[in-house]
Amino acid sequence: MSIIVLGANGQLARHLLGTVPSAEFWGRETLDVADAEALEARLVEAAPRAIINAAAYTAVDRAESEPVEAWRVNVEAPAAAARAARRLDAALVHVSTDYVFDGSANTPYAEDAPTCPLGVYGASKLAGELAVRTICPRHWILRTSWVFSEYGHNFMKTVLRLAESGNPLRIVADQLGRPTYAGHLAELIAALDPAGDSPQLPYGTWHATGGEIASWHGFAQRIVARAAALGLLAEAPEVIPISTADYPAPARRPAYSVLAPSAAIAALDGTTFDWNTGLERALAALAGAAEAVTP
Ligand SMILES: NC(=O)c1ccc[n+]([C@@H]2O[C@H](COP(=O)([O-])OP(=O)(O)OC[C@H]3O[C@@H](n4cnc5c(N)ncnc54)[C@H](OP(=O)(O)O)[C@@H]3O)[C@@H](O)[C@H]2O)c1
């Protein structure tokens, strides 16, 4: 088996099914990645040429009260995957997050900007990066942000569900970032050709996002407008801007969570990570699925 994908049922992995179809996909039912010893042993036994780690503990608020679980999945599992990759001389694609930064900047974060996570999720993802970087020479750490898709749980789908009532939505307008379509990320990972003999991108840490900078409020406005235009909503509800202080949550979030896109990634396959086209694709997929079940 040349490629193994961990986290088979997540947003990113569901898109990898389309872009890296020859890979073997391991979900929770195959293996609990929090069992680091078992993960390393199973990977070494399977002997892939590349491992794509799309598994993660992504519940940002819940991580505040479950730091041990977050650490196991976001640190110990990538460390185990990195040990296996090192033993096999395989490549490791590991996905990380904008939440490794504190959001106090006012220009986009470059790959080498100082990290300073605000919460348990970001801290665990940062430690996972360090484990991968320390153990496995042949690694790509792809930091991405605000991931959405027609699959799984994400902000776009929450907005669509809430918008069905037609009532106004109150959405935070003072946090900025770059929404990223999971399908674009899956296309980039395929373009890396991680199991190939010559890496398409130098090993290291890269920012895999792009497109215009938006607030959650601006993103929500675009989601409901386009969903209404495509007939997924009867009409677009009003979207009212609120501040972070109006919406207290267990985990602090970066205010300026904007990654500077890596030029080398754009050069690789022309990927611009334009989230507006990603949004069209995600909504079209949902519209197609709704049509398919309409008698
Ligand atoms: N979502 C975002 O907004 C965002 C933003 C920036 C970076 N990222 C990063 O992007 C990557 C992909 O994220 P995503 O949005 O695709 O995540 P996701 O949809 O939450 O998927 C993560 C997958 O990991 C699996 N998983 C968690 N714990 C596991 C365990 N102990 N054993 C086996 N599988 C386990 C989950 O399984 P179950 O389905 O069974 O729970 C889930 O299918 C992650 O590294 C994430 O940190 C995400």
Side-chain angles (χ1 to χ4, degrees):
M1 175 47 54
S2 66
I3 302 181
I4 288 175
V5 175
L6 305 174
N9 303 309
Q11 301 188 75
L12 171 59
R14 296 284 299 277
H15 286 275
L16 287 166
L17 270 172
T19 64
V20 193
S22 62
E24 190 172 314
F25 288 77
W26 292 3
R28 198 185 285 272
E29 61 291 346
T30 312
L31 186 77
D32 176 1
V33 300
D35 184 346
E37 258 179 51
L39 175 60
E40 181 180 351
R42 288 279 297 274
L43 285 170
V44 170
E45 188 189 351
R49 297 197 63 192
I51 300 163
I52 301 174
N53 182 25
Y57 183 109
T58 53
V60 174
D61 285 323
R62 207 168 66 227
E64 296 297 312
S65 54
E66 294 186 347
V68 175
E69 289 78 1
W71 183 269
R72 286 204 180 108
V73 177
N74 291 345
V75 189
E76 292 178 7
R83 284 196 299 273
R86 185 186 180 96
R87 286 169 66 184
L88 297 165
D89 190 28
L92 173 61
V93 180
H94 177 68
V95 185
S96 191
T97 172
D98 51 326
Y99 280 23
V100 298
F101 298 112
D102 67 7
S104 62
N106 49 25
T107 55
Y109 286 97
E111 287 88 346
D112 59 355
T115 50
C116 183
L118 295 177
V120 169
Y121 167 73
S124 67
K125 293 295 292 185
L126 181 60
E129 286 188 4
L130 188 59
V132 168
R133 219 173 271 133
T134 306
I135 297 169
C136 176
R138 297 183 57 205
H139 71 260
W140 292 281
I141 294 170
L142 303 176
R143 288 194 190 126
T144 191
S145 57
W146 296 24
V147 178
F148 70 96
S149 160
E150 59 270 35
Y151 302 122
H153 304 286
N154 56 68
F155 178 79
M156 179 197 76
K157 290 179 77 175
T158 303
V159 165
L160 289 175
R161 181 169 45 79
L162 296 175
E164 273 171 16
S165 70
N167 295 327
L169 304 179
R170 292 160 49 81
I171 308 283
V172 169
D174 57 0
Q175 290 170 29
L176 299 179
R178 285 195 155 108
T180 306
Y181 179 51
H184 288 153
L185 195 54
E187 284 159 13
L188 165 71
I189 291 172
L192 288 177
D193 188 17
D197 289 329
S198 42
Q200 299 299 301
L201 183 74
Y203 298 120
T205 301
W206 302 96
H207 286 177
T209 185
E212 64 181 295
I213 298 169
S215 68
W216 291 113
H217 171 262
F219 186 29
Q221 277 186 314
R222 201 71 58 82
I223 291 166
V224 296
R226 293 305 304 148
L230 290 166
L232 277 166
L233 293 174
E235 60 179 341
E238 184 187 0
V239 185
I240 299 168
I242 62 168
S243 70
T244 301
D246 295 328
Y247 187 77
R252 285 174 64 205
R253 270 118 171 123
Y256 187 82
S257 209
V258 182
L259 299 178
S262 299
I265 284 184
L268 180 66
D269 68 344
T271 305
T272 60
F273 286 100
D274 171 24
W275 59 263
N276 279 293
T277 52
L279 181 60
E280 295 302 318
R281 279 171 59 180
L283 294 175
L286 291 178
E291 225 167 64
V293 295
T294 306

